[in-house]
Amino acid sequence: MKPRSQLAVLIAALLPASVLASTIEGVVLNNQGKIVTNATIEVEGSDLTVTTDENGKFVIAELNNGLKELHVVAPGYAHLHRDITITNDEKQSVTFNLKRSPIEVIDIEATPIHMSAMESASPVSVLSGEQLRRQQAATLGDSLEKLPGVNTNFHGKVASTPIIRGLSGPRVLITQNGLDVSDVSRVGPDHSVASEASTAQQIEVLRGPATLFYGSGAIGGVVNVVDSRVPTDSTTRGEWNVEHNSVDNQKVASFNATTGTDSVAFYADAFWREADDYEVPVAADIDSDGEEHRGDYTVENSNEESDGFTVGASYLMDNGFIGLAVEQFNRQYGIPGHTHGEEEEEEHNDEEERVFADLEQTKVQLLGEYNLDNKWLNKVNLRVGHTDYEHAEIEGGAVGTTFKNETNELRIDLLHNQFSEWNGGISFHYKQSDVEAQGEEAFTPPSETESFAVALMEERHFGDFLVQLGGRIERVTIEAGDVLLPNIDAHAHDEAQEIDEHEHDHDHEESAETTRVFDVEHEFTPISLSAGVVWDFTPNYNLGLSVSRSERAPSASELLSFGPHIGTGTYEVGALFDLDEDGHLGLSSQTIDLETANNIDLTLRKTQGDVGFILNAFYNQVDNYYYQIDTGLFAESGHDHGDEEEGADEHDHSSELPVYLFKTDDVILHGFEAQIAWQLTDEFKVDLFSDYVRARLKDGGDLPRTPPLRFGSELSYQTDKLSAHIDVTRYQKQDRTAPQETATDGYTLVDASISYNLSVLNQDMSVYLRGTNLTDTEARVHSSFVKDIAPRPGRSFALGIRGYF
């Protein structure tokens, strides 16, 4: 394929200047006057893009008359915006001088308006290139946790989802190329995200409400995994990697490749990962002689095996592309802590008694882009997705519970021509999900959620000011036909001990006969509004302000749950139900309403020079916030343990779970993120970061599992051949806890990596060694549901080799 950018250069080279009605030619230099190759020059509001050649030169032809905003981008440099006015039969020559930026500036892919870490009103982060490869882990949350404002809910290394500014679960949307990943990871912490970092091109994080772009499920932020499964060009390129990790005997292999002809492009990727149970350090013991001894133990049932592949193809046109990709994703992993009593675990220690999850997902994506020669519209972006997901929890060789999610999604962005210097467009978004859980631990009934939304997003430069505006309106419906209201024997333990055994058995017989079944249908209309401004108040500095009001419809699990959730060790009851004056669970009389977040972000940035920084402060008041409270009651888990042993303790509560009830309250989350980068020399660089979130109830009290204050540093050494990094991260003690939650001690993690680039048979390769938790520190993640039994892995070394072509 010959992109329009290459065609423009060809025309400029072959035709005399008099034939070219409107042309811009120029050169891109750095601050020392040296040429910058492979810099990209984009004409905002159009599809025109060119790249500088080996002499740093470029030519843009076929330009219409009027004011044009050029956007110049090059790796390692701050972005540059320049306005140029085009008139008839004019040929302009320009020189662009780029200044170094020690903080990498990468554009967000899946938003219709321009967003990057240094230029947008809303705070964003992008993990890509070598940094992504260094930090990628088996799970998404663990891969992203070194980004400012992002933490992990670490679930024994087998599952994790990102926590953004203290929010997670249904408030943080995870997408793949802008479409919902459509698993059940937002329902429970033991459910793995069905997405793979090792084959990704970049991972984008939008901190704060991203509802304008993705819908009400992104009220707390969004994570978008970007890959090239639907290729947009046919250049032959690829990457492969193999690695071994010592702490869990993990073996990883992955590759991705793109190729094609002038009009057809092909893509393929695959990965495979296998790991045993991982080792963790234990605290030092002091013997009778006063000597200190340390040891290691293994987190049982933390093994995993994953594999997957993707194939895609695109038809390439001069004015766009259309392509289809199919992915198969498989994962089997143990679930630490998913046991039903210590005695049972001791008696059944063989492999087939271990509880594990078997995840399978088939994903189909149709992506397209078409550039229009139209008076009003210049581009149409199309995204269509179908996902078929199944997650089975297996114990003793038999399937205990199965979760299913079938999702269909359509998104169309219509981007208009520049109108009075405004760039942007309108987006139409439809999504329909059927979620089903069957089995003894199915704590939510089958439900269907459907949404349709219209969003408008615009931006314009006013001199030194960039203004970004947006609004979105949705219609969300939740339907469920088999909502159960069992008359369970929920009781406090002190009261239970006074109950006569015969009466207790009678209550169980009665509860089985009085389960109510009814239909539920709720309709919501979330509306989100956002306004932001970025002010370049002095050279090399800008100040960003973003305010938004975002609404979220509650999820089906928050409303309809009624049953044991072993992953969290609780008996969950949804907001549709409530406790009456006698302590019995029944239908709630409270109005089911939208959750509303009022968020303000203030950002100060130094964008250029040897020192760069990004300082964010945020304040988020969430009204009608859905969360769980401990009722003080307990209920039977419903798990079949087999026949009771003769002489068993009649007051044994090992099969009972605490009852947690979803309710609403007003909460406040506020905090900061700080990132500072100092390019000491061309080779040495120092990065510092810190983040903090305070999550509390408006009327007093703390939200559970809030990540603690942390700060860290990274020293990097980079040449053409050698790359070395040392990371030190300090997690402070977290003692701001909710009722029934324990405090977590602080700890310091030390990581290091070194890689060497070489060429073998004309192929670029990199050999690397990475060490994590080098001090073998016992580290418990406060935001983890299993922190008491599954700390972070101990000292580990990973040896790998990566190739590029």
Side-chain angles (χ1 to χ4, degrees), residues 24-35:
I24 298 175
E25 63 180 21
V27 62
V28 178
L29 307 175
N30 64 18
N31 224 23
Q32 287 76 40
K34 298 180 180 179
I35 62 173

Side-chain angles (χ1 to χ4, degrees), residues 309-321:
F309 67 89
T310 305
V311 291
S314 297
Y315 176 65
L316 307 175
M317 302 167 281
D318 288 339
N319 51 359
F321 71 92

Side-chain angles (χ1 to χ4, degrees), residues 22-74:
S22 302
T23 304
I24 298 175
E25 63 180 21
V27 62
V28 178
L29 307 175
N30 64 18
N31 224 23
Q32 287 76 40
K34 298 180 180 179
I35 62 173
V36 179
T37 61
N38 295 318
T40 300
I41 299 92
E42 305 171 348
V43 180
E44 294 283 5
S46 78
D47 65 309
L48 291 176
T49 301
V50 299
T51 303
T52 56
D53 60 19
E54 65 274 8
N55 298 313
K57 296 182 178 181
F58 69 92
V59 176
I60 306 175
E62 300 181 343
L63 289 171
N64 299 324
N65 296 334
L67 181 67
K68 303 300 177 185
E69 181 184 335
L70 302 187
H71 183 204
V72 187
V73 178

Side-chain angles (χ1 to χ4, degrees), residues 344-396:
E344 181 184 11
E345 186 72 14
E346 291 174 0
E347 293 175 4
H348 305 285
N349 216 10
D350 54 52
E351 187 68 26
E352 63 180 25
E353 289 299 326
R354 306 177 85 178
V355 181
F356 68 94
D358 188 359
L359 185 161
E360 294 183 7
Q361 184 184 72
T362 302
K363 182 188 295 291
V364 181
Q365 288 191 342
L366 173 68
L367 307 179
E369 178 182 298
Y370 194 80
N371 300 295
L372 301 171
D373 185 12
N374 183 279
K375 181 179 179 180
W376 303 105
L377 298 178
N378 70 50
K379 184 183 294 185
V380 177
N381 292 330
L382 173 68
R383 291 184 177 89
V384 183
H386 171 77
T387 304
D388 191 359
Y389 172 95
E390 183 172 313
H391 167 120
E393 294 188 355
I394 301 171
E395 182 175 5

Side-chain angles (χ1 to χ4, degrees), residues 712-726:
S713 64
E714 178 184 75
L715 175 63
S716 304
Y717 176 80
Q718 184 86 43
T719 66
D720 291 340
K721 293 289 186 180
L722 186 65
S723 176
H725 306 266
I726 299 177

Side-chain angles (χ1 to χ4, degrees), residues 171-235:
R171 297 175 185 85
V172 173
L173 183 63
I174 300 172
T175 63
Q176 187 105 25
N177 298 314
L179 296 171
D180 195 337
V181 73
S182 301
D183 51 25
V184 294
S185 61
R186 301 201 293 171
V187 174
D190 57 329
H191 297 167
S192 179
V193 177
S195 185
E196 177 61 28
S198 66
T199 55
Q201 170 187 328
Q202 66 185 47
I203 304 178
E204 306 164 348
V205 178
L206 280 70
R207 304 193 297 276
T211 53
L212 293 178
F213 310 105
Y214 298 95
S216 63
I219 197 171
V222 69
V223 173
N224 183 42
V225 180
V226 179
D227 56 32
S228 301
R229 64 181 57 197
V230 175
T232 59
D233 66 77
S234 57
T235 304

